[in-house]
């Protein structure tokens, strides 16, 4: 099976490519990635060395580039497209939403259109639980929960989901949408909660917790998400949406305290800072449909997964410092400077 994976040099895409190349000998992958601040060729240096030229091929490019997409998909060169490419950080979407609309909405449209023209047999679009908005203290999101996005990021992802729906309904395109809860694991860019807190704790710097720290996220290990995407690719029904989760609801403060405990650092490092505007209070993912129809079962418990993740960042200190470029520091200084 020949796959076009977009955004494969980011956190989840790189884990997915490594998982697929390791577990399926019949798979070859073209990775199309723009290499924004979040995309890093180092995330797949091992795969490029082992499979480069044969089963793995990297193209630096933009999913908004219709000509490039036509070139890549020309002549039925690809059996399936899996779209991970996106601007993904909620805080950045608050500071500057334009790139989110460009990539997440217009880019997904360009990819759908190119795949439609090339008659691609399968299109898996990677979405998020954030399109459902926020939950109260009880209940879970299901695939029939109405979309109610609250941030520019989640609004742009919901827009892309609606385009996927429209291309299925109007053009009969074999589109499958997956929506997943918060991922953690190796290669996550250190602007997101877990790697940022590991980085700060190791450096003995204050750990910025938004608001009262009691916002709840439902954490899933990235490998469990990747296995879910693989199932959606192989067994998903066109036109269907599948939620993936892992029954790991945790308040942010609990996650931060656990990281400090794993690293043997004091809770005195915790700093409560001004809240994120529009901050969703609670997410919890119901994934019974994926369990029943795809055979999806998350395998990695949060306690073990988090301990291994902390160890990965300790063992990969060079990776962690290399991604903290000038542009990274500029955003972090400005964003957290305003929250003191
Ligand atoms: P990430 O920010 O780590 O990686 C995104 C990748 O997309 C980067 O490699 C970047 O260079 C690439 N990219 C951005 N714009 C592009 C463009 N115009 N053309 C080509 N490539 C482009 O993101 P992630 O956390 O790995 O998320 C991947 C996908 O999964 C996203 O669609 C995101 O919405 C979704 N998702 C993420 C989570 C999570 O917890 N991280 C949960 C659910 C869904
Ligand atoms: O739910 C899936 C989504 O999870 C994905 O679609 C997004 O791409 C991904 O970024 C993530 O969004 P969140 O906003 O939930 O993740 P983030 O890591 O930014 O924040 C997690 C929680 O931690 C959230 O409640 C905000 C809080 N937080 C975050 C940061 C960066 C803090 O308290 N302090 C921080 O410094």
């Amino acid at each position: 099976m020949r796959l076009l994976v977009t955004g494969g040099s980011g956190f989840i895409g790189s884990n997915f490519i490594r998982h697929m190349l390791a577990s399926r000998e019949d798979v070859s992958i073209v990775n199309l990635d723009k290499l924004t601040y979040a995309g890093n060729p180092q995330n797949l240096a091992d795969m490029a060395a082992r499979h480069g030229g044969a089963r793995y091929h990297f193209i630096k490019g933009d999913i908004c580039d219709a000509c490039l997409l036509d070139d890549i998909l020309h002549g039925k060169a690809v059996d399936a497209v899996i779209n991970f490419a996106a601007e993904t950080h909620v805080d950045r979407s608050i500071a500057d939403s334009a790139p989110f609309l460009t990539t997440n909405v217009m880019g997904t449209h360009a990819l759908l259109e190119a795949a439609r023209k090339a008659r691609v047999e399968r299109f898996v679009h990677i979405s998020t639980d954030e399109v459902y908005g926020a939950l109260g203290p009880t209940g879970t999101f299901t695939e029939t929960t109405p979309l109610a996005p609250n941030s520019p990021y989640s609004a742009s992802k919901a827009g892309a989901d609606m385009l996927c729906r429209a291309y299925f309904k109007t053009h009969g395109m074999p589109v499958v949408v997956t929506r997943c809860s918060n991922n953690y694991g190796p290669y996550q860019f250190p602007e997101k909660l877990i790697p940022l807190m590991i980085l700060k704790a190791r450096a003995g710097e204050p750990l910025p917790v938004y608001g009262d720290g009691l916002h709840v996220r439902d954490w899933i290990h990235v490998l469990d998400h990747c296995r879910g995407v693989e199932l959606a690719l192989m067994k998903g029904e066109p036109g269907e949406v599948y939620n993936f989760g892992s029954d790991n609801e945790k308040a942010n403060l609990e996650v931060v305290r656990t990281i400090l405990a794993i690293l043997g650092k004091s809770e005195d490092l915790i700093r409560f800072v001004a809240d994120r505007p529009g901050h969703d209070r609670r997410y919890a993912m119901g994934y019974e449909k994926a369990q029943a129809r795809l055979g999806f079962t998350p395998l990695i418990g949060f306690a073990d997964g988090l301990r291994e993740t902390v160890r990965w960042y300790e063992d990969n200190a060079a990776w962690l410092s290399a991604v903290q470029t000038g542009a990274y520091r500029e955003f972090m200084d400005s964003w957290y400077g305003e929250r003191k």
Side-chain angles (χ1 to χ4, degrees), residues 11-165:
F11 164 47
I12 305 173
S14 62
N15 277 284
F16 178 76
I17 289 175
R18 181 173 292 101
H19 166 69
M20 291 299 278
L21 290 175
S23 60
R24 289 187 172 261
E25 295 212 335
D26 60 330
V27 161
S28 64
I29 295 178
V30 173
N31 170 17
L32 172 65
D33 197 296
K34 187 179 172 182
L35 298 183
T36 67
Y37 76 93
N40 184 353
Q42 282 308 310
N43 294 358
L44 286 169
D46 55 340
M47 293 294 105
R50 195 170 313 153
H51 301 292
R55 295 177 59 210
Y56 176 70
H57 182 57
F58 174 71
I59 298 173
K60 183 174 188 297
D62 192 327
I63 60 164
C64 299
D65 184 341
C67 294
L68 174 63
L69 295 177
D70 288 345
D71 278 352
I72 294 171
L73 297 176
H74 179 75
K76 287 219 158 265
V78 157
D79 301 307
V81 172
I82 300 131
N83 182 28
F84 290 94
E87 289 292 337
T88 62
H89 193 35
V90 173
D91 295 340
R92 284 180 185 260
S93 82
I94 295 166
D96 179 12
S97 54
F100 288 75
L101 297 181
T102 305
T103 287
N104 300 1
V105 182
M106 299 310 289
T108 302
H109 173 257
L111 201 54
L112 282 164
E113 193 54 20
R116 181 186 70 79
K117 284 191 283 173
R119 297 182 188 281
V120 171
E121 286 159 26
R122 199 87 165 145
F123 190 107
V124 181
H125 175 72
I126 310 303
S127 186
T128 168
D129 60 358
E130 300 203 5
V131 296
Y132 297 122
L135 287 166
T138 59
T140 57
F141 298 128
T142 72
E143 290 81 357
T144 56
T145 302
L147 303 197
N150 291 319
S151 70
Y153 162 70
S154 53
S156 69
K157 293 295 289 185
D161 288 17
M162 292 297 96
L163 283 167
C164 290
R165 176 190 157 89

Side-chain angles (χ1 to χ4, degrees), residues 12 87-91 127-131 153-154 157 180-183 188 190-197 207-211 213 215-219 252-253 256 273 275-276 279-281 283 332 335-336 339:
I12 305 173
E87 289 292 337
T88 62
H89 193 35
V90 173
D91 295 340
S127 186
T128 168
D129 60 358
E130 300 203 5
V131 296
Y153 162 70
S154 53
K157 293 295 289 185
C180 191
S181 59
N182 282 64
N183 286 221
Q188 187 168 30
E191 62 189 356
K192 308 285 165 54
L193 180 76
I194 287 181
L196 180 66
M197 296 300 145
L207 276 57
V209 173
Y210 298 158
H215 300 78
V216 171
R217 295 294 181 264
D218 189 356
W219 294 95
N252 294 334
L253 200 49
V256 170
V273 301
D275 208 349
R276 167 190 282 175
H279 196 174
D280 288 333
R281 191 65 174 170
Y283 303 145
M332 300 304 270
W335 177 260
Y336 290 98
R339 325 222 79 66

Side-chain angles (χ1 to χ4, degrees), residues 238-287:
E240 293 292 326
V241 174
Y242 299 95
N243 286 353
F244 297 124
S246 191
D247 306 310
N248 279 310
E249 280 187 62
K250 305 277 176 216
N252 294 334
L253 200 49
E254 184 184 347
V255 173
V256 170
R257 284 186 172 137
T258 308
I259 291 169
L260 287 168
I262 293 170
L263 287 168
K265 300 281 185 172
S266 164
E267 290 188 10
D268 292 345
L269 287 173
I270 294 172
R271 289 288 180 285
F272 292 97
V273 301
D275 208 349
R276 167 190 282 175
H279 196 174
D280 288 333
R281 191 65 174 170
R282 174 173 167 262
Y283 303 145
M285 206 50 149
Y287 57 92

